[in-house]
Amino acid sequence: MIELRSDTFTKPTPEMLEAMMQAEVGDDVFGEDPTVNKLESKLAGMFGMDEGVFCPSGTMANQIGIRVHTQPQDEVICDKYSHVYLYEGGGMASNSGVLPNLLDGDRGRITATQVEAAIKPEADYLTTSRLVVLENTMNKGGGSIYNFSEIQKIKKLCDAHGLAMHLDGARLFNALVETGETPIQFGETFDTISVCLSKGLGTPIGSVLMGSKTLMKKARRVRKVFGGGMRQAGYLAAAGIYALDNNVERLKEDHAHARALGEALAQKDFVSEVMPADTNILIFTVDDVQKRLAQFKEKGVLGVAFGENQIRFVTHLDFTEDDLEQTIKIIKAL
Ligand SMILES: *Cc1c(COP(=O)(O)O)cnc(C)c1O
């Protein structure tokens, strides 16, 4: 089967497994796993942030991020399609007791003007606007990339109003290889950043939350309370170190593959619209989602339904040039 449902289906390569086998480990709850410590400081160093906290999932990293910035009854400003709102089981309500203030962005990207209008004045009867969460790249927006100058405008507003900024950077490296922006630029702008190692970077497990020493001290405590304190997690962290050293630049190949699939699909009568594939996510609109997904599956290609009449394909490390050729052939023949 050609797997295009998600970039989370990748399996570790023999080289990555070898790096995992060789890892030096200890009890990370005691802060004594040298490989976890190495991964956390490697990423924090890349982003120019104080510390990182290794988490089992991106959801946990985001939920901890929200928790360390807020108090119950506060409000989190984010796009209506954001992962923290749509795909984390309503966690911000139960884990942090906060409300989302949902904005209607462009393919998931909100603007400074929208944020400014959303920030509430102080009043006993209003929620307190406390945090802005941005997502880059934006999953539901078809892997769309934020314009960095817009992020800077939002940052200025947040500074002026005393709001914190969290970045859901599950696929931030996909954005960086396209734009040439640096991790440091993002580290300077956001108070906390989460990045996933198990998406395009190809590890089996793991995300890292980064931020200041003070925030990360809080984050470690919250991670423990959420049940995310791990022991010899260095075996997993080693995969992350390997991925950062070997799998970042190659993300560009995934983007080229997604664009090639988009071009082939745009030729088909049953496809009415193909969202531009800015990175590795391709969302396209079809006449009948279940029928087309079944046809693809019969020919050996797996995708997912995304909304009422859309299908999502995600390219990744295990989707090879051969798979691309094969998939384009299948598309042409449908
Ligand atoms: C995948 C993803 C996450 C985290 O997901 P987990 O499955 O919990 O690791 C967070 N944000 C975005 C945008 C994602 O795509």
Side-chain angles (χ1 to χ4, degrees):
M1 278 293 191
I2 295 178
E3 183 59 76
L4 287 170
R5 285 178 295 173
S6 175
D7 48 6
T8 52
F9 280 92
T10 54
K11 293 180 185 152
T13 57
E15 294 78 15
M16 184 180 276
L17 279 173
E18 185 57 29
M20 294 169 75
M21 299 273 285
Q22 300 298 328
E24 207 187 316
V25 297
D27 189 333
D28 184 49
V29 171
F30 284 76
E32 289 182 17
D33 188 301
T35 312
V36 170
N37 293 341
K38 190 175 162 190
L39 170 68
E40 290 177 347
S41 52
K42 182 181 173 79
L43 263 169
M46 284 170 77
F47 283 80
M49 299 179 101
D50 290 347
E51 285 181 27
V53 174
F54 186 48
C55 297
S57 71
T59 298
M60 190 184 284
N62 282 335
Q63 290 297 316
I64 296 172
I66 292 170
R67 174 74 165 256
V68 300
H69 292 299
T70 58
Q71 296 288 329
Q73 293 153 253
D74 284 346
E75 180 179 278
V76 174
I77 296 172
C78 59
D79 183 85
K80 69 180 196 290
Y81 288 137
S82 51
H83 195 281
V84 291
Y85 171 66
L86 267 190
Y87 301 126
E88 298 185 8
M92 73 166 79
S94 54
N95 292 327
S96 300
V98 296
L99 287 96
N101 183 348
L102 302 175
L103 306 186
D104 187 12
D106 164 36
R107 291 175 64 201
R109 295 162 298 189
I110 56 179
T111 65
T113 311
Q114 288 177 307
V115 172
E116 187 162 31
I119 297 173
K120 292 193 167 66
E122 259 185 52
D124 286 345
Y125 52 87
L126 292 173
T127 53
T128 306
S129 306
R130 184 75 71 193
L131 173 69
V132 171
V133 176
L134 305 183
E135 187 177 316
N136 196 29
T137 67
M138 219 290 164
N139 177 12
K140 184 85 178 168
S144 56
I145 302 177
Y146 259 94
N147 187 329
F148 193 69
S149 66
E150 197 62 39
I151 294 179
Q152 285 174 309
K153 281 188 207 158
I154 296 172
K155 163 75 173 163
K156 256 195 185 157
L157 269 176
C158 287
D159 283 349
H161 290 88
L163 271 68
M165 269 174 91
H166 171 74
L167 177 69
D168 177 352
R171 295 190 182 82
L172 179 60
F173 286 105
N174 292 84
L176 297 181
V177 300
E178 278 299 313
T179 62
E181 286 147 10
T182 63
I184 296 279
Q185 287 175 286
F186 281 79
E188 282 170 352
T189 309
F190 288 88
D191 298 289
T192 47
I193 296 178
S194 65
V195 294
C196 279
L197 302 163
S198 62
K199 298 271 165 83
L201 297 186
T203 76
I205 290 179
S207 286
V208 176
L209 178 71
M210 291 170 279
S212 68
K213 215 172 153 107
T214 316
L215 286 173
M216 292 306 100
K217 187 170 188 316
K218 251 173 128 175
R220 277 180 210 286
R221 187 179 167 78
V222 175
R223 182 184 63 177
K224 191 74 181 88
V225 173
F226 284 179
M230 297 185 283
R231 303 294 178 175
Q232 285 72 36
Y235 293 117
L236 304 172
I241 294 169
Y242 179 89
L244 290 169
D245 289 340
N246 295 279
N247 294 346
V248 174
E249 274 309 308
R250 63 151 306 285
L251 291 170
K252 279 187 184 161
E253 296 166 29
D254 298 342
H255 304 172
H257 289 169
R259 282 192 282 270
L261 290 174
E263 281 161 25
L265 284 162
Q267 307 300 316
K268 304 304 292 184
D269 284 343
F270 69 85
V271 176
S272 57
E273 198 193 335
V274 181
M275 249 192 228
D278 295 343
T279 51
N280 69 328
I281 300 177
L282 182 70
I283 296 176
F284 54 100
T285 309
V286 296
D287 51 359
D288 183 338
V289 169
Q290 291 315 323
K291 177 179 154 190
R292 298 304 171 186
L293 277 176
Q295 279 180 333
F296 275 119
K297 192 172 174 181
E298 197 190 299
K299 303 282 178 201
V301 175
L302 297 174
V304 290
F306 224 55
E308 222 173 285
N309 42 26
Q310 291 176 320
I311 292 176
R312 187 190 74 170
F313 281 168
V314 187
T315 56
H316 52 77
L317 194 62
D318 291 350
F319 180 77
T320 62
E321 290 287 330
D322 283 350
D323 291 336
L324 176 67
E325 243 176 72
Q326 178 74 13
T327 309
I328 288 176
K329 253 189 223 161
I330 290 168
I331 292 170
K332 285 187 171 159
L334 270 188

